[in-house]
Structures are given as structure tokens and as C-alpha cells.
Amino acid sequence: MTQNNLKIAVTGGIGSGKSEVCSIIKRAGFPVFSCDEIYFELLNSGTFDNDLKNTFGEQIYIDGRLDKSKLSSIVFENKVELEKLNKITHPKILDCALNRMKAQKVCFLEVPLLFESGFEGLFDGVIVVLRHLNDRIESVVKRSGISTKEAILRIKSQFDYENNDFTKYYVIHNNSNLKYLSECVEEILKDVAEKLK
């Protein structure tokens, strides 16, 4: 069966390499959107301000501006608080993303917390990027400039990618080099192109 509009989510745990996968897809000429980028757009435009103040208190604001590091320290150390933040932000981020994807014949969206939010059913396909846990920790420490302990906390606050079944999705094991990763992405893109014929 062919489709004239395909929406594909790219997901994986923090430090798995999903952004690199999205870069490869973009270089291949496909439109790619990012939930993180949309989140920061909405955050900076004040979209969430009232809900954030009501939920986490005025102390996360300094001189009227959201202190993102304060908010991060609250939510990454407490799953209940993280869920509260996700309930405020996720629906608006996804609505915005899906609106942007409507005009595209085939489109990819980087969704870091796809399974946590239960949004996988809104997409025609899902690419799950998996990577060895130690490599993920090392990547998060290097990229975010945080301690190993903090990196592990962030990973543990997310969906358990180590012990779940992804057989119905496209799966990329990002445990080799960039050439191998590119080849894996190219195979998926060929399959996606077939569905558009």
C-alpha cells in the first residue's frame, strides 16, 4: 500500500546518536524536524510560563526569565516532577510538530521521549536508535559537561531502551562507526521510498 504522506519518528535514549541519524537523513534531502528545537522555541516564547509557575513555583524564574538549569535539576532528580513537566510540554510540542509535518510528502521528526509519552501510534513508522549503555554515558558526559552520576540519572529517568522489544520498528544499533551508521540509515530510507511509490 502506498501513502502520499509519511510521518516517521526518530527516537532513542539520551546519548544514543539519534541527532546524528537525523543529520544523515537531512543530508539525504529529507525534511527533518526536532521536538527539542520546537520545545526551546515554545519555552523562549513564554508558551509554558503560566503552567510552569503554577506547577514548579516562581523560584524557577530569575528576573522574569526561566532558569532552565534550575528546572532541569528539579525534574531530573524526581520522576514525579519530570512527569509533571512532560504533561505540560509534550502535547503542545507534538501539536506544533505535526502541523509543520502536514505539508510534507515524507517527513521525519526527532522525538526524544516518544514511548514515554505514548505518541508512537501517531506516526507511520518509528526509527529506534540503540547504543551500548557505557557509550551513551560517555557521550552524555562529554556533550553536556556533567558528571557520570548525573548522566546515569538522566538515562535512568528515561524509557528503558535496554529491555524492550522493538521488532515492529526500524532499529539501528549504533555501536560501530559513522560509515556503518550511514549505511543503516540509507537502508531505511530505501524502504521508506518504496512505500511512497
Side-chain angles (χ1 to χ4, degrees):
M1 190 180 90
T2 60
Q3 282 184 256
N4 58 8
N5 173 259
L6 277 176
K7 298 184 294 296
I8 297 164
V10 180
T11 196
I14 186 172
S16 61
K18 57 191 175 296
S19 295
E20 190 56 57
V21 166
C22 286
S23 295
I24 296 164
I25 295 169
K26 214 179 272 186
R27 285 197 294 274
F30 292 91
V32 181
F33 296 106
S34 158
C35 279
D36 280 349
E37 285 174 15
I38 292 168
Y39 169 61
F40 285 114
E41 270 179 45
L42 296 176
L43 206 57
N44 292 329
S45 69
T47 303
F48 306 122
D49 283 357
N50 287 337
D51 288 331
L52 291 177
K53 281 175 189 170
N54 291 338
T55 306
F56 301 105
E58 294 279 348
Q59 80 271 8
I60 61 166
Y61 284 80
I62 295 170
D63 298 327
R65 290 178 66 86
L66 175 67
D67 185 331
K68 291 171 194 153
S69 62
K70 244 182 197 176
L71 180 61
S72 293
S73 69
I74 292 169
V75 300
F76 283 121
E77 289 170 16
N78 188 318
K79 269 194 169 178
V80 175
E81 298 300 317
L82 182 61
E83 279 169 24
K84 285 180 191 173
L85 177 66
N86 291 344
K87 275 182 185 165
I88 292 167
T89 59
H90 285 187
K92 285 178 183 171
I93 293 165
L94 208 73
D95 277 352
C96 187
L98 292 173
N99 277 331
R100 292 179 188 189
M101 295 173 88
K102 273 180 192 170
Q104 309 292 338
K105 191 174 181 183
V106 59
C107 194
F108 296 81
L109 177 67
E110 186 178 348
V111 191
L113 304 174
L114 182 76
F115 297 113
E116 290 94 328
S117 309
F119 290 145
E120 60 272 25
L122 298 172
F123 295 88
D124 304 297
V126 176
I127 299 171
V128 182
V129 187
L130 301 176
R131 193 179 189 187
H132 293 318
L133 185 58
N134 286 342
D135 292 336
R136 288 176 62 198
I137 293 165
E138 193 181 316
S139 172
V140 174
V141 167
K142 197 173 172 183
R143 184 187 68 199
S144 304
I146 58 176
S147 69
T148 300
K149 187 185 171 188
E150 284 175 299
I152 292 167
L153 264 177
R154 289 192 184 189
I155 288 168
K156 283 189 174 175
S157 76
Q158 291 190 335
F159 184 77
D160 183 3
Y161 284 91
E162 310 291 314
N163 300 296
N164 270 283
D165 179 18
F166 299 113
T167 46
K168 64 179 179 177
Y169 305 117
Y170 296 113
V171 176
I172 295 173
H173 293 276
N174 182 22
N175 298 314
S176 186
N177 54 31
L178 193 55
K179 182 177 182 289
Y180 174 76
L181 187 64
S182 299
E183 286 166 1
C184 292
V185 174
E186 280 163 25
E187 282 304 308
I188 292 169
L189 294 177
K190 277 181 200 168
D191 192 64
V192 168
E194 283 298 312
K195 289 178 180 170
L196 288 168
K197 283 181 181 176

